Amino acid sequence: MTSTEPFQSRCAEADGVKYHYLEAGEGSRPAVFLHGGGPGCTGWSDFGPVAPLFAEDRKCYLVDILQYGRSEKCVITGPMWDFHAAKTVALLDTLGIERADLVCNSWGGTIALNLAAKYPSRVRSLVVTGSMPVFHGPLAPLPEGGRRGRNARDAYYGGTGPSWEKMRELMARLEWYDAEAIPSSTVTMRYEQSLDPEEMALAAASDNPRGEWQDLSAELGRIEAPVLFAWGMHDAFLTPDYPLMLARMVPRGQLYVMDHAGHHLQEERPHEYYSVVTGFLDAQY
């Protein structure tokens, strides 16, 4: 995880903002990876363990979404998922990607679902893990009113401030099923990125610079692309009844639930995740 080889670091301008991304692989089947919204998350921190497997048979782009990693820490005004979707489409334009598969975790998956609803011609298929595009659940209220991620971010940056130990505790409690398997190098990577001065300034301002929260209930039914919701059986944010509901809300939805996995199954069980996801992606060609 310390080296991004064979991925190459790139930057691109897209409709007035700067994106950073990692690129590797060849072929005419581009896959764009969008990471989650936890402290210190980047395209590489979330998909580094599995990305080289995908790059063996397709062109891969691991994007740092705006306000994260080495992408621009811009202030977002207006509906947040609309902003991210429009800027991501602008990035696809800059990269010359007419239509892509989107493979996403958490925050990135909500961006991708909105993008697929608003810009259907740009998406071939979607893989979504651990995302919360709607504010209601099928069986019970969402944990902590759906604010568990934001509360965890506030706790991490609050009090005595960020630390390596607090990062590991956050990952163990909310992101991984097997806490003993968390690589120290990943904790270090996330912790060091979380100390970025601009990220810390965004955290200090809570939700204000991130735009207005949107419920995408009305958008999900407009998604034309096939969607695979790949979920961890022990996801601490949203139990599998939630993605089953989502799979029924989109016209071409399906659900795969992985045992012994939490919120970051692509990191915990990369080979199993790759097998399931690449099978789904290949079936769309």
Side-chain angles (χ1 to χ4, degrees), residues 140-215:
L142 299 180
E144 298 181 20
R147 291 187 55 92
R148 181 168 287 183
R150 282 169 278 172
N151 293 342
R153 182 186 69 216
D154 292 344
Y156 174 76
Y157 281 105
T160 57
S163 70
W164 192 95
E165 291 74 18
K166 286 175 73 173
M167 178 61 76
R168 191 187 187 286
E169 188 277 333
L170 182 154
M171 294 173 66
R173 179 168 54 90
L174 295 176
E175 297 179 355
W176 286 60
Y177 168 75
D178 182 1
E180 297 303 315
I182 300 174
S184 294
S185 59
T186 304
V187 180
T188 299
M189 183 192 320
R190 291 271 302 272
Y191 166 62
E192 291 178 348
Q193 178 61 46
S194 76
L195 299 179
D196 177 274
E198 291 183 297
E199 287 195 28
M200 293 186 72
L202 284 169
S206 189
D207 285 342
N208 293 333
R210 300 182 188 275
E212 300 168 7
W213 283 84
Q214 292 177 263
D215 181 289

Side-chain angles (χ1 to χ4, degrees), residues 11-233:
C11 289
E13 294 288 334
D15 190 25
V17 296
K18 186 191 82 170
Y19 275 97
H20 172 259
Y21 63 96
L22 299 172
E23 176 183 351
E26 301 291 342
S28 59
R29 301 186 297 170
V32 175
F33 295 76
L34 301 177
H35 62 83
C41 278
T42 66
W44 186 252
S45 76
D46 280 20
F47 288 101
V50 74
L53 300 176
F54 285 101
E56 290 178 0
D57 57 12
R58 68 189 75 237
K59 187 77 168 182
C60 296
Y61 301 85
L62 276 59
V63 177
D64 290 350
I65 63 178
L66 294 172
Q67 300 187 332
Y68 287 85
R70 292 170 58 187
S71 288
E72 187 169 331
K73 309 303 187 298
C74 55
V75 172
I76 298 171
T77 58
M80 63 187 303
W81 304 128
D82 287 351
F83 181 93
H84 278 291
K87 296 301 184 185
T88 305
V89 167
L91 176 62
L92 297 181
D93 291 340
T94 298
L95 298 178
I97 300 174
E98 182 177 344
R99 198 168 182 225
D101 296 314
L102 300 178
V103 182
C104 312
N105 179 252
S106 196
W107 196 287
T110 307
I111 295 171
L113 289 166
N114 194 41
L115 192 160
K118 302 280 177 43
Y119 309 90
S121 66
R122 309 307 296 268
V123 180
R124 184 183 303 277
S125 62
L126 283 171
V127 179
V128 175
T129 296
S131 303
M132 194 188 78
V134 303
F135 298 159
H136 57 88
L139 301 178
L142 299 180
E144 298 181 20
R147 291 187 55 92
R148 181 168 287 183
R150 282 169 278 172
N151 293 342
R153 182 186 69 216
D154 292 344
Y156 174 76
Y157 281 105
T160 57
S163 70
W164 192 95
E165 291 74 18
K166 286 175 73 173
M167 178 61 76
R168 191 187 187 286
E169 188 277 333
L170 182 154
M171 294 173 66
R173 179 168 54 90
L174 295 176
E175 297 179 355
W176 286 60
Y177 168 75
D178 182 1
E180 297 303 315
I182 300 174
S184 294
S185 59
T186 304
V187 180
T188 299
M189 183 192 320
R190 291 271 302 272
Y191 166 62
E192 291 178 348
Q193 178 61 46
S194 76
L195 299 179
D196 177 274
E198 291 183 297
E199 287 195 28
M200 293 186 72
L202 284 169
S206 189
D207 285 342
N208 293 333
R210 300 182 188 275
E212 300 168 7
W213 283 84
Q214 292 177 263
D215 181 289
L216 301 182
S217 296
E219 280 75 19
L220 293 185
R222 297 165 50 191
I223 296 174
E224 300 174 4
V227 184
L228 172 64
F229 295 95
W231 228 258
M233 180 70 78

Side-chain angles (χ1 to χ4, degrees), residues 249-266:
M249 292 177 72
V250 302
R252 301 178 64 190
Q254 54 187 285
L255 172 64
Y256 173 81
V257 179
M258 184 179 290
D259 66 325
H260 295 87
H263 193 59
H264 281 214
L265 55 162
Q266 76 279 3

